[in-house]
Amino acid sequence: MEKYPGKKNIAVFISGRGSNLKSLIKNSKRKNSSYKILLVISNNPNAAGLNYALKSKIKQYAIEYKSKSSFERQSLKILKKYKIDLLCLAGFMKILSGSFIKKFSKPILNIHPSLLPKYKGLNTHLRAIKNKDKFAGASVHKVNQKLDSGKIILQKKIKILKKDNVISLKNKVLKIEHEIYPKAIVKFLTNL
Ligand code: GAR
């Protein structure tokens, strides 16, 4: 049952800064938003992003990552309790197991700082610059059992300029991440 009529219940997993979480919260507060963020879970008790949840009075759980299985067991319990329809990974730097994905049984989305299928994994900006790519970007995709390989929901690209370095590129891509993640969620929910 929907806790907020007409809105889907979303949970967000983070590991650190939480700027994508901030953008998702901001968009969820729009009157006609199709989703409501019910809870935030961090595998890192010191994640700065938890403060965004605190400020917006969103339930937050810091679950210390003693092992994958204990983190996933505890998270699953909470996700079920809140009847979460969609889980969004936003700067969540752990890989979810196939068993978690199966047991959760609802869709999971992730934001990744590259134009997938290019540059799965880490150091995406460095790799794009080293390869002298003309474009970089961000992708929102469904999470499946293979790293950064699920169906792409939304992508946006930007030009890599001669003067760009890893930091400037990271900042530019982060900006478009904040733009496309809320849009991708709305698009995904519309087709759910
Ligand atoms: C973002 O750039 C996100 O795309 C990336 O971590 C950053 C988190 O920033 N995620 C990954 O690399 C996942 N593989 P944030 O904590 O400020 O949202």
Side-chain angles (χ1 to χ4, degrees):
M1 237 237 313
E2 286 167 354
K3 186 165 180 189
Y4 295 87
K7 293 186 195 280
K8 295 288 183 197
N9 298 336
I10 287 191
V12 183
F13 278 13
I14 62 167
S15 295
R17 179 181 50 194
S19 70
N20 276 292
L21 169 66
K22 184 182 176 197
S23 128
L24 295 185
I25 293 175
K26 188 174 163 211
N27 278 274
S28 73
K29 288 182 178 168
R30 291 192 176 160
K31 215 174 156 195
N32 47 8
S33 162
S34 52
Y35 67 93
K36 177 91 185 163
I37 301 174
L38 294 194
L39 69 113
V40 174
I41 295 180
S42 171
N43 63 297
N44 163 18
N46 301 318
L50 286 171
N51 288 316
Y52 295 121
L54 194 68
K55 268 194 216 153
S56 292
K57 299 192 171 56
I58 295 169
K59 278 263 181 236
Q60 47 161 306
Y61 294 84
I63 302 176
E64 221 178 312
Y65 205 84
K66 288 192 181 135
S67 70
K68 192 187 281 293
S69 62
S70 74
F71 174 84
E72 292 188 347
R73 200 177 345 100
Q74 293 177 67
S75 306
L76 264 177
K77 232 178 156 178
I78 301 169
L79 294 169
K80 299 264 183 204
K81 180 177 159 201
Y82 284 85
K83 299 190 167 49
I84 293 302
D85 301 304
L86 173 68
L87 169 58
C88 293
L89 311 183
F92 180 67
M93 303 311 277
K94 299 287 181 187
I95 296 171
L96 294 170
S97 70
S99 139
F100 175 93
I101 296 169
K102 218 167 145 189
K103 283 187 191 147
F104 176 51
S105 78
K106 297 287 164 77
I108 307 173
L109 298 182
N110 180 43
I111 180 120
H112 184 74
S114 81
L115 292 171
L116 289 172
K118 259 193 158 177
Y119 310 133
K120 296 171 184 174
L122 299 174
N123 302 317
T124 55
H125 309 298
L126 180 66
R127 288 190 277 163
I129 285 179
K130 271 194 175 162
N131 283 342
K132 300 192 186 334
D133 287 357
K134 289 200 166 55
F135 295 96
S139 312
V140 176
H141 66 92
K142 257 193 100 175
V143 171
N144 63 13
Q145 298 203 19
K146 271 186 155 180
L147 181 70
D148 300 327
S149 297
K151 183 177 179 230
I152 292 166
I153 310 299
L154 202 62
Q155 225 170 24
K156 186 166 176 176
K157 65 178 180 179
I158 48 162
K159 263 193 179 156
I160 303 180
L161 306 176
K162 278 220 172 77
K163 61 175 186 193
D164 272 325
N165 55 38
V166 172
I167 292 171
S168 68
L169 188 57
K170 204 181 202 163
N171 290 333
K172 285 202 291 195
V173 169
L174 196 60
K175 251 190 169 168
I176 60 171
E177 291 185 36
H178 300 159
E179 191 189 311
I180 67 166
Y181 209 177
K183 282 188 186 160
I185 292 175
V186 171
K187 181 178 174 196
F188 184 75
L189 290 177
T190 310
N191 297 319
L192 204 63

